[in-house]
mmCIF file of all heavy atoms in Angstrom:
data_model
loop_
_atom_site.group_PDB
_atom_site.id
_atom_site.type_symbol
_atom_site.label_atom_id
_atom_site.label_comp_id
_atom_site.label_asym_id
_atom_site.label_seq_id
_atom_site.Cartn_x
_atom_site.Cartn_y
_atom_site.Cartn_z
ATOM 1 N N GLU A 197 26.120 10.572 140.601
ATOM 2 C CA GLU A 197 26.473 11.252 141.992
ATOM 3 C C GLU A 197 26.531 10.252 143.062
ATOM 4 O O GLU A 197 27.202 9.267 142.951
ATOM 5 C CB GLU A 197 25.431 12.306 142.350
ATOM 6 C CG GLU A 197 25.328 13.436 141.227
ATOM 7 C CD GLU A 197 26.333 14.598 141.588
ATOM 8 O OE1 GLU A 197 26.841 14.615 142.640
ATOM 9 O OE2 GLU A 197 26.467 15.449 140.638
ATOM 10 N N ASN A 198 25.679 10.388 144.101
ATOM 11 C CA ASN A 198 25.724 9.399 145.260
ATOM 12 C C ASN A 198 24.942 8.129 145.041
ATOM 13 O O ASN A 198 24.751 7.349 145.955
ATOM 14 C CB ASN A 198 25.321 10.143 146.545
ATOM 15 C CG ASN A 198 23.942 10.699 146.429
ATOM 16 O OD1 ASN A 198 23.490 10.969 145.357
ATOM 17 N ND2 ASN A 198 23.195 10.726 147.644
ATOM 18 N N ILE A 199 24.328 7.959 143.807
ATOM 19 C CA ILE A 199 23.446 6.829 143.656
ATOM 20 C C ILE A 199 24.085 5.809 142.753
ATOM 21 O O ILE A 199 24.471 6.182 141.598
ATOM 22 C CB ILE A 199 22.130 7.322 142.905
ATOM 23 C CG1 ILE A 199 21.568 8.550 143.561
ATOM 24 C CG2 ILE A 199 21.120 6.152 142.854
ATOM 25 C CD1 ILE A 199 20.986 8.346 144.978
ATOM 26 N N THR A 200 24.178 4.572 143.143
ATOM 27 C CA THR A 200 24.746 3.566 142.305
ATOM 28 C C THR A 200 23.653 2.405 142.137
ATOM 29 O O THR A 200 23.043 1.996 143.057
ATOM 30 C CB THR A 200 25.936 2.883 143.002
ATOM 31 O OG1 THR A 200 27.051 3.942 143.221
ATOM 32 C CG2 THR A 200 26.639 1.877 142.005
ATOM 33 N N ALA A 201 23.468 2.076 140.889
ATOM 34 C CA ALA A 201 22.616 0.944 140.503
ATOM 35 C C ALA A 201 23.340 -0.285 140.307
ATOM 36 O O ALA A 201 24.373 -0.355 139.621
ATOM 37 C CB ALA A 201 21.846 1.396 139.288
ATOM 38 N N ILE A 202 22.813 -1.422 140.916
ATOM 39 C CA ILE A 202 23.426 -2.663 140.619
ATOM 40 C C ILE A 202 22.369 -3.547 139.924
ATOM 41 O O ILE A 202 21.214 -3.783 140.369
ATOM 42 C CB ILE A 202 23.860 -3.425 141.976
ATOM 43 C CG1 ILE A 202 24.862 -2.453 142.556
ATOM 44 C CG2 ILE A 202 24.378 -4.717 141.674
ATOM 45 C CD1 ILE A 202 25.805 -3.110 143.558
ATOM 46 N N GLU A 203 22.750 -3.916 138.661
ATOM 47 C CA GLU A 203 21.855 -4.810 137.926
ATOM 48 C C GLU A 203 22.240 -6.232 138.215
ATOM 49 O O GLU A 203 23.368 -6.703 137.952
ATOM 50 C CB GLU A 203 22.134 -4.491 136.454
ATOM 51 C CG GLU A 203 21.279 -5.324 135.528
ATOM 52 C CD GLU A 203 21.514 -4.799 134.039
ATOM 53 O OE1 GLU A 203 22.354 -3.954 133.729
ATOM 54 O OE2 GLU A 203 20.733 -5.402 133.117
ATOM 55 N N VAL A 204 21.375 -6.903 138.902
ATOM 56 C CA VAL A 204 21.606 -8.290 139.380
ATOM 57 C C VAL A 204 21.044 -9.436 138.406
ATOM 58 O O VAL A 204 19.883 -9.325 137.959
ATOM 59 C CB VAL A 204 20.940 -8.559 140.834
ATOM 60 C CG1 VAL A 204 21.179 -10.006 141.259
ATOM 61 C CG2 VAL A 204 21.459 -7.513 141.789
ATOM 62 N N ASP A 205 21.849 -10.321 138.053
ATOM 63 C CA ASP A 205 21.493 -11.428 137.181
ATOM 64 C C ASP A 205 20.649 -12.381 138.123
ATOM 65 O O ASP A 205 21.082 -13.270 138.600
ATOM 66 C CB ASP A 205 22.559 -12.184 136.580
ATOM 67 C CG ASP A 205 23.242 -11.348 135.433
ATOM 68 O OD1 ASP A 205 22.444 -10.836 134.658
ATOM 69 O OD2 ASP A 205 24.494 -11.256 135.439
ATOM 70 N N GLY A 206 19.381 -12.003 138.290
ATOM 71 C CA GLY A 206 18.619 -12.876 139.123
ATOM 72 C C GLY A 206 17.169 -12.196 139.242
ATOM 73 O O GLY A 206 16.782 -11.286 138.382
ATOM 74 N N THR A 207 16.397 -12.504 140.296
ATOM 75 C CA THR A 207 15.011 -12.045 140.522
ATOM 76 C C THR A 207 15.010 -11.016 141.477
ATOM 77 O O THR A 207 16.105 -10.729 142.215
ATOM 78 C CB THR A 207 14.314 -13.244 141.055
ATOM 79 O OG1 THR A 207 14.636 -13.662 142.117
ATOM 80 C CG2 THR A 207 14.151 -14.351 139.980
ATOM 81 N N PHE A 208 13.860 -10.430 141.768
ATOM 82 C CA PHE A 208 13.720 -9.391 142.855
ATOM 83 C C PHE A 208 14.036 -10.053 144.185
ATOM 84 O O PHE A 208 14.763 -9.541 145.054
ATOM 85 C CB PHE A 208 12.352 -8.970 142.831
ATOM 86 C CG PHE A 208 11.954 -8.053 144.148
ATOM 87 C CD1 PHE A 208 12.747 -6.874 144.404
ATOM 88 C CD2 PHE A 208 11.007 -8.530 144.925
ATOM 89 C CE1 PHE A 208 12.322 -6.195 145.561
ATOM 90 C CE2 PHE A 208 10.730 -7.808 146.065
ATOM 91 C CZ PHE A 208 11.364 -6.570 146.476
ATOM 92 N N ASP A 209 13.492 -11.262 144.312
ATOM 93 C CA ASP A 209 13.911 -12.047 145.669
ATOM 94 C C ASP A 209 15.327 -12.292 145.886
ATOM 95 O O ASP A 209 15.839 -12.097 146.936
ATOM 96 C CB ASP A 209 13.217 -13.422 145.669
ATOM 97 C CG ASP A 209 11.666 -13.280 145.778
ATOM 98 O OD1 ASP A 209 11.223 -12.229 146.262
ATOM 99 O OD2 ASP A 209 10.932 -14.248 145.313
ATOM 100 N N ASP A 210 16.118 -12.446 144.883
ATOM 101 C CA ASP A 210 17.595 -12.540 144.911
ATOM 102 C C ASP A 210 18.161 -11.211 145.399
ATOM 103 O O ASP A 210 19.018 -11.200 146.287
ATOM 104 C CB ASP A 210 18.249 -12.843 143.492
ATOM 105 C CG ASP A 210 17.911 -14.254 143.064
ATOM 106 O OD1 ASP A 210 17.821 -15.112 144.040
ATOM 107 O OD2 ASP A 210 17.731 -14.482 141.849
ATOM 108 N N CYS A 211 17.571 -10.138 144.897
ATOM 109 C CA CYS A 211 18.090 -8.740 145.214
ATOM 110 C C CYS A 211 17.836 -8.581 146.678
ATOM 111 O O CYS A 211 18.702 -8.035 147.498
ATOM 112 C CB CYS A 211 17.405 -7.660 144.479
ATOM 113 S SG CYS A 211 17.803 -7.729 142.623
ATOM 114 N N GLN A 212 16.598 -8.965 147.042
ATOM 115 C CA GLN A 212 16.244 -8.719 148.558
ATOM 116 C C GLN A 212 17.124 -9.514 149.480
ATOM 117 O O GLN A 212 17.557 -9.123 150.504
ATOM 118 C CB GLN A 212 14.746 -9.095 148.698
ATOM 119 C CG GLN A 212 14.101 -8.136 149.720
ATOM 120 C CD GLN A 212 12.588 -8.299 149.609
ATOM 121 O OE1 GLN A 212 12.056 -9.141 149.036
ATOM 122 N NE2 GLN A 212 11.983 -7.319 150.182
#
Side-chain angles (χ1 to χ4, degrees):
E197 301 270 350
N198 60 329
I199 314 292
T200 305
I202 300 202
E203 181 176 3
V204 175
D205 284 313
T207 62
F208 169 62
D209 290 338
D210 292 327
C211 297
Q212 219 163 13

